[in-house]
Amino acid sequence: MKTPVSVLRLPRGPDPNSRGFDPNSPRFLALCPTTLSSSSSSGAVDEEEQRLRSDLRERFLRTLLLMTDKQVEFNMHEKVRVRARFGASDIDVLNFQVSGLETPLGVQKEALLRCQDVISCSFEL
Amino acid sequence: MNAIMYPVSMAMRQTPLTCSGHTRPVVDLAFSGITPYGYFLISACKDGKPMLRQGDTGDWIGTFLGHKGAVWGATLNKEATKAATAAADFTAKVWDAVTGDEVLTLAHKHIVKSVNFTQDSNFLLTGGNDKVLRIYDLIKPEADPQEIAGHTSAIKKALWCNNDQQILSAADDKTIRLWDKNTQEAVHTLSFDASVTSMEYIPDGEILVITYGRTIAFYNAHSLDLIKTVDAPASIHSASLHPEKDFFVAGGDDFKLYKYDYTTKEEMESYKGHFGPIHTVRFSPDGELYASGSEDGTLRLWQTAVGKTYGLWKCVLPEELSSENSEVLYCPPAEIKA
């Protein structure tokens, strides 16, 4: 009877909450240039762009907060339009947690919507 | 210091390492070259989410998100700084393999099946169900690609060869064609009775490894002269030749992986482990392991020299297994699931 080869551990699987590519890994730190150069003249343009990006991001995150517990209509690929009560988004905006999802097959009490399938969503403030 | 040699590979049973994470069949995989950070592995999956893993351990690094359909082909450049994927959403995508960001989307007119970088990573070759080979200049991606037509059925695989001066393509029209990149003409054509299921090009030695039916065939990549063929016990979907050309591995319909001696053509070993047909198998660039992708949705890593200390595998001398001084080691049961 042969002895099976021992292993130190099993290969690590995907993180369910993120798409990975750890920005603190040695490879990432070595190969990715640091953002924003302040010394060159284009530095000012970069800073302005970064400020605008930050503003847009903040507005997006505040919109998600405002959507919480509201009835939202989701406009999705393949001409799908569904309504549901928005619960929360995961950290990478990969999935939206919703309740009372109205579908042609009935109302789904709890569901996850895949964000890559969502084109737009609208709700009353 | 004492050095005691044990014939470990004779005494030990292969422990494959299972990489889970995909939720549908794994249809293609590719290794990068050896980089200062080790080597890497990309897997193409019908769930549309290709993954990057550390090549020697199988540890997940990241998932490339963006495709809206099954991913049929995936590749890395030599340095593992870029990735390319071919998908059923009629696009090929180029990715930054360090950040995971999508860099380029190349629209096609039908399902894309195959992608391949040149050695300098400046050009991407694509092929798919619209039967046309396309060459994209990645420095000028807005420019129209160079197109090479000729195949009469869907292209399964297209590879650069002969110092990126020629192209090898395999299609459902049961031919493999060798094209000159500049004249865009077919220099040689091989015809088969059955559909070619896989193709691998080994630049060092200019060998082409082809599978069809139960056969694994080896050709000279310049002349397309046949070197040898080997028949397996079951239908084979993919095969890979070891960098030192002493072994090759093959897998297919019966879920098993076969290991053959390339010189004598003898079957050396067969390994069970997958729960579905094997779609793809490749040796790592250092030849120390080979990876297989299956209909069961997993990737498995297998040692070339069973029992050797490498990656996550640890060579344990017989005394150490029962000794109180041994480090905490995971002694697997008959089947490991990650």
Side-chain angles (χ1 to χ4, degrees):
Chain A
M1 183 65 183
K2 285 184 183 176
T3 323
V5 178
S6 299
V7 297
L8 297 170
R9 58 170 173 80
L10 300 175
R12 287 184 205 116
D15 174 355
N17 300 319
S18 125
R19 69 182 176 103
F21 298 102
D22 180 13
N24 295 315
S25 73
R27 192 168 92 115
F28 194 112
L29 292 169
L31 297 179
C32 288
T34 48
T35 47
L36 306 187
S37 61
S38 48
S39 52
S40 64
S41 59
S42 69
V45 174
D46 286 343
E47 276 178 34
E48 173 62 9
E49 187 184 310
Q50 184 58 35
R51 197 187 60 74
L52 289 168
R53 284 180 187 278
S54 299
D55 282 349
L56 284 171
R57 178 68 175 174
E58 190 176 337
R59 281 172 63 170
F60 171 69
L61 292 173
R62 287 193 189 284
T63 307
L64 286 184
L65 280 174
L66 274 177
M67 263 167 59
T68 312
D69 287 335
K70 297 233 172 40
Q71 276 291 112
V72 179
E73 181 173 285
F74 296 92
N75 178 18
M76 303 172 78
H77 283 290
E78 304 292 340
K79 299 190 176 68
V80 171
R81 276 177 193 274
V82 287
R83 284 191 320 176
R85 186 165 297 277
F86 178 78
S89 168
D90 63 7
I91 194 156
D92 277 324
V93 197
L94 292 171
N95 297 290
F96 284 159
Q97 179 253 318
V98 298
S99 321
L101 178 69
E102 295 168 17
T103 80
L105 292 175
V107 177
Q108 188 69 31
K109 252 180 86 176
E110 303 290 341
L112 281 180
L113 288 179
R114 208 165 43 185
C115 290
Q116 67 188 91
D117 294 344
V118 177
I119 298 171
S120 67
C121 49
S122 58
F123 62 103
E124 300 279 334
L125 276 169
Chain B
M1 184 170 76
N2 280 334
I4 306 169
M5 300 296 287
Y6 284 85
V8 277
S9 58
M10 286 171 61
M12 311 227 71
R13 198 173 78 218
Q14 167 91 260
T15 302
L17 291 170
T18 302
C19 306
S20 61
H22 283 306
T23 54
R24 299 280 321 279
V26 176
V27 290
D28 193 24
L29 68 89
F31 281 98
S32 69
I34 297 173
T35 81
Y37 304 92
Y39 58 87
F40 300 83
L41 166 59
I42 188 172
S43 50
C45 182
K46 286 190 182 177
D47 63 11
K49 300 190 184 126
M51 291 187 180
L52 184 71
R53 294 178 185 270
Q54 193 70 42
D56 62 337
T57 59
D59 288 339
W60 174 80
I61 292 174
T63 303
F64 297 101
L65 297 175
H67 274 302
K68 295 183 170 56
V71 175
W72 286 100
T75 192
L76 292 166
N77 68 349
K78 225 168 30 180
E79 301 79 15
T81 50
K82 291 192 203 178
T85 50
D89 61 7
F90 292 16
T91 71
K93 287 182 190 276
V94 179
W95 312 79
D96 180 319
V98 184
T99 63
D101 292 337
E102 186 183 313
V103 165
L104 209 52
T105 295
L106 303 165
H108 287 63
K109 299 191 174 76
H110 211 309
I111 295 169
V112 193
K113 285 279 176 77
S114 174
V115 272
N116 195 232
F117 286 106
T118 47
Q119 298 280 62
D120 60 10
S121 311
N122 288 336
F123 293 89
L124 185 73
L125 171 65
T126 71
N129 288 15
D130 70 353
K131 314 169 198 170
V132 173
L133 293 162
R134 285 189 177 78
I135 300 165
Y136 290 86
D137 182 340
L138 298 178
I139 314 263
K140 284 180 264 141
E142 339 74 43
D144 284 332
Q146 194 190 333
E147 292 186 0
I148 300 178
H151 275 297
T152 56
S153 285
I155 292 165
K156 264 198 156 98
K157 197 93 178 173
L159 301 170
W160 292 102
C161 65
N162 187 16
N163 255 326
D164 300 333
Q165 294 312 300
Q166 293 182 316
I167 289 165
L168 275 162
S169 58
D172 284 343
D173 58 14
K174 303 186 189 155
T175 68
I176 287 185
R177 300 183 198 209
L178 179 64
W179 310 83
D180 182 291
K181 175 196 91 169
N182 299 311
T183 65
Q184 301 185 18
E185 276 170 15
V187 173
H188 284 298
T189 300
L190 284 173
S191 295
F192 299 87
D193 291 328
S195 240
V196 169
T197 45
S198 79
M199 192 166 74
E200 181 190 47
Y201 167 65
I202 316 280
D204 174 23
E206 297 290 341
I207 298 177
L208 183 61
V209 183
I210 293 167
T211 58
Y212 55 90
R214 298 220 219 135
T215 307
I216 304 117
F218 301 88
Y219 286 81
N220 175 301
H222 275 293
S223 61
L224 293 194
D225 285 336
L226 178 64
I227 301 172
K228 63 177 80 175
T229 64
V230 178
D231 282 338
S235 209
I236 295 295
H237 295 174
S238 181
S240 183
L241 180 62
H242 189 273
E244 253 125 79
K245 301 165 195 64
D246 31 17
F247 326 103
F248 65 92
V249 287
D253 268 348
D254 67 356
F255 312 359
K256 289 192 203 167
L257 261 182
Y258 293 94
K259 184 178 176 189
Y260 288 85
D261 180 307
Y262 179 62
T263 316
T264 66
K265 305 193 330 184
E266 272 172 41
E267 183 189 313
M268 296 167 68
E269 286 279 2
S270 67
Y271 299 111
K272 289 199 241 187
H274 276 296
F275 295 100
I278 291 167
H279 291 307
T280 178
V281 62
R282 281 291 180 269
F283 267 106
S284 62
D286 62 2
E288 295 283 354
L289 59 81
Y290 43 102
S292 57
S294 163
E295 184 77 8
D296 67 12
T298 67
L299 250 91
R300 280 171 205 243
L301 303 181
W302 310 79
Q303 284 192 288
T304 303
V306 178
K308 186 173 172 183
T309 294
Y310 182 84
L312 298 176
W313 291 287
K314 177 104 164 88
C315 174
V316 177
L317 297 176
E319 304 88 67
E320 285 183 345
L321 279 173
S322 46
S323 147
E324 281 162 24
N325 293 334
S326 65
E327 298 165 18
V328 175
L329 288 171
Y330 180 72
C331 252
E335 174 60 52
I336 300 185
K337 292 186 186 32

